[in-house]
Amino acid sequence: MKVLHNRSFSLLWTGQSISMFGLAIYITCLPFLVFRAGGSATELGLAHTFFIIPQLIFLLVSGVFVDRWPKKKILVISYFLRGLAVSGIAVLLLTDNLQLIHVYLLTGFLGLISTLYRPAVRGITPQIVDKTQLLSANSLRAISQQVSDMIGPVVGGFLVAAIGLYIAYTVNAITFLLSALFVSLIAIRSTKKKTEDTPTEKTTFWKDFTQGWSAIKKRPWLGASILIGSLSNIGIAAFDVIILPVYADNSFNGVQTYGIFLAAMAIGALICATLIGRLERISKRGILYYLFMALSGLFILGISFTPPLLVSLLLLAAIGFCLTAFIIIWDSATQELIEEEVLGRVVSFQMFGGLLLLPVGYSIFGFSLDKLGTTLSMSIAGVSIILVAALGLKNKKIRELDLWNYLLNVN
């Protein structure tokens, strides 16, 4: 792709790809880190809750700072601090001093960093590539994510099984530090127009905050989707981070099978990213967004019947395809329709909405797994996703998403 001829983007993409690989190892090993510290499904849900809470507290305001501060520096510092935090866990594992409180502190700290990192990583790409290359750049990032999700879980599972958790977290720490190095070398292009990183006039915090909120209010589809997305994330995230590892541990071969499960989802996601990346434009995005969401819930419901391993892998690949499809559709819509000057704030609002009910969801499904079992818990998650997707499809403003795109471009 021509976008790879852009040196700054190539450095950013390389750094992000390395980080994604390390993060895939981290995600794969986290449930077993909790189990190693003496926890169960309930404690795993609590660990994820600690990751969410700092974001719920700071996300609404972090977007203002992301739009004010240099995004490159935010990313470099974020990667560096992630590396240090994970290094500490590796040392605790090596010295056999790990306790649940350390896991909670790690997830809480990484959650705090995410309040700045995630809006910044969404906003930096338009600062280093032309608008005509945004689709290619986002497609490459999505492909890297899926390749990492295929390789990372397998590598993580192998490292844990062959050597131990400590080596997996050591490799994870190294990937974050390497990412910081690569991103530190990129150059943000200068423009004649005012940008977030070179403001020409001082504004108050409250004014910047309300500008972000106004960007959502004038787009009816955006506010409705943030609300509905908050509900859908209860079932989707609970399946991904709590139900699936317990399903692998109870029905198959624990961490190794869980790594294969994540790899299967990544294969489906990679196929999706490759296919959508070939398209110049997607019509009826609002309808497709919630259709793919509903299908993901349907496939989760299928896994709840505990099919053979091969069937489970096929269903997980289909889930990965559907989840990636509606993520790409959502990201392309927001990047196309929202001004770069307020994108960090809007992304922060989106993230807040998506995370708002996750602590409740993690607690409910952690308790459900302990009391009701895997099958019923997975069935509840699948049905809830389908019902929420139907609510989105019923919303006229969402179905008319491309019409709103046209009207905003005309005006």
Side-chain angles (χ1 to χ4, degrees):
M1 294 184 180
K2 292 183 178 180
V3 70
L4 288 175
H5 297 159
N6 183 322
R7 179 179 179 274
S8 290
F9 176 76
S10 295
L11 289 168
L12 175 65
W13 179 61
T14 302
Q16 287 183 318
S17 299
I18 295 172
S19 172
M20 290 172 184
F21 172 70
L23 195 58
I25 294 177
Y26 168 83
I27 293 172
T28 303
C29 295
L30 180 60
F32 304 96
L33 186 70
V34 172
F35 301 154
R36 169 71 176 273
S40 65
T42 300
E43 284 72 30
L44 177 58
L46 187 58
H48 286 289
T49 299
F50 272 99
F51 178 76
I52 300 301
I53 289 175
Q55 299 181 66
L56 291 177
I57 295 174
F58 296 107
L59 262 177
L60 287 179
V61 299
S62 66
V64 174
F65 299 107
V66 169
D67 284 333
R68 287 183 173 186
W69 296 342
K71 294 178 178 62
K72 171 184 169 180
K73 290 183 179 179
I74 293 175
L75 295 182
V76 171
I77 293 172
S78 296
Y79 285 134
F80 183 74
L81 291 178
R82 280 177 167 181
L84 289 183
V86 176
S87 297
I89 292 297
V91 171
L92 290 171
L93 285 167
L94 190 60
T95 58
D96 199 26
N97 288 316
L98 181 73
Q99 300 178 23
L100 279 171
I101 185 63
H102 299 132
V103 180
Y104 298 152
L105 289 173
L106 171 68
T107 56
F109 182 68
L110 294 183
L112 179 61
I113 293 175
S114 292
T115 62
L116 294 173
Y117 170 81
R118 291 177 63 186
V121 80
R122 287 271 296 275
I124 195 172
T125 302
Q127 294 184 339
I128 60 176
V129 302
D130 295 330
K131 288 185 177 295
T132 56
Q133 295 179 327
L134 281 174
L135 182 59
S136 297
N138 289 327
S139 297
L140 278 172
R141 185 177 184 275
I143 290 173
S144 293
Q145 179 71 68
Q146 309 320 322
V147 171
S148 297
D149 287 345
M150 284 189 291
I151 300 175
V154 175
V155 172
F158 172 79
L159 291 175
V160 172
I163 304 176
L165 271 171
Y166 76 90
I167 194 66
Y169 279 91
T170 300
V171 172
N172 185 200
I174 292 172
T175 62
F176 286 142
L177 296 176
L178 283 175
S179 297
L181 175 62
F182 276 98
V183 174
S184 69
L185 299 176
I186 71 174
I188 303 297
R189 62 182 182 178
S190 59
T191 62
K192 295 181 180 180
K193 296 172 66 176
K194 170 181 171 281
T195 67
E196 301 94 328
D197 297 332
T198 55
T200 58
E201 62 179 43
K202 292 183 178 180
T203 58
T204 65
F205 176 90
W206 180 248
K207 182 178 179 180
D208 287 346
F209 180 85
T210 55
Q211 283 178 346
W213 182 247
S214 296
I216 295 176
K217 287 178 62 178
K218 73 178 183 179
R219 296 169 173 86
W221 61 269
L222 183 56
S225 290
I226 290 176
L227 176 60
I228 297 172
S230 181
L231 297 173
S232 69
N233 272 351
I234 294 176
I236 293 173
F239 168 78
D240 192 27
V241 303
I242 298 179
I243 298 175
L244 191 58
V246 174
Y247 174 65
D249 201 39
N250 291 344
S251 302
F252 296 99
N253 194 29
V255 61
Q256 290 177 301
T257 304
Y258 180 56
I260 297 173
F261 279 174
L262 294 182
M265 291 181 66
I267 290 173
L270 176 60
I271 294 172
C272 175
T274 303
L275 292 176
I276 292 182
R278 295 175 179 271
L279 302 177
E280 293 184 359
R281 179 171 177 78
I282 298 176
S283 60
K284 300 186 183 300
R285 288 176 290 185
I287 295 174
L288 287 175
Y289 176 84
Y290 286 100
L291 179 60
F292 280 116
M293 181 185 293
L295 287 173
S296 69
L298 182 63
F299 293 133
I300 290 173
L301 189 60
I303 297 179
S304 69
F305 293 99
T306 317
L309 179 60
L310 179 59
V311 177
S312 293
L313 294 176
L314 291 174
L315 289 171
L316 286 166
I319 292 170
F321 187 101
C322 292
L323 294 179
T324 300
F326 74 69
I327 289 173
I328 292 177
I329 291 170
W330 175 262
D331 286 346
S332 66
T334 54
Q335 288 181 338
E336 179 182 343
L337 300 179
I338 298 171
E339 300 87 349
E340 182 181 332
E341 291 76 12
V342 296
L343 184 57
R345 278 160 280 181
V346 171
V347 170
S348 294
F349 285 129
Q350 293 173 11
M351 290 173 56
F352 179 82
L355 296 174
L356 184 60
L357 298 179
L358 287 193
V360 176
Y362 288 152
S363 299
I364 291 174
F365 281 100
F367 178 82
S368 174
L369 282 166
D370 286 339
K371 301 299 181 181
L372 302 179
T374 307
T375 299
L376 186 55
S377 297
M378 198 179 303
S379 299
I380 295 172
V383 171
S384 68
I385 295 168
I386 294 171
L387 292 176
V388 170
L391 183 63
L393 288 170
K394 190 177 179 181
N395 189 297
K396 182 178 179 181
K397 295 173 182 177
I398 291 173
R399 296 198 305 270
E400 295 177 344
L401 174 57
D402 290 303
L403 175 61
W404 280 101
N405 178 20
Y406 171 78
L407 293 175
L408 286 172
N409 285 337
V410 170
N411 294 331

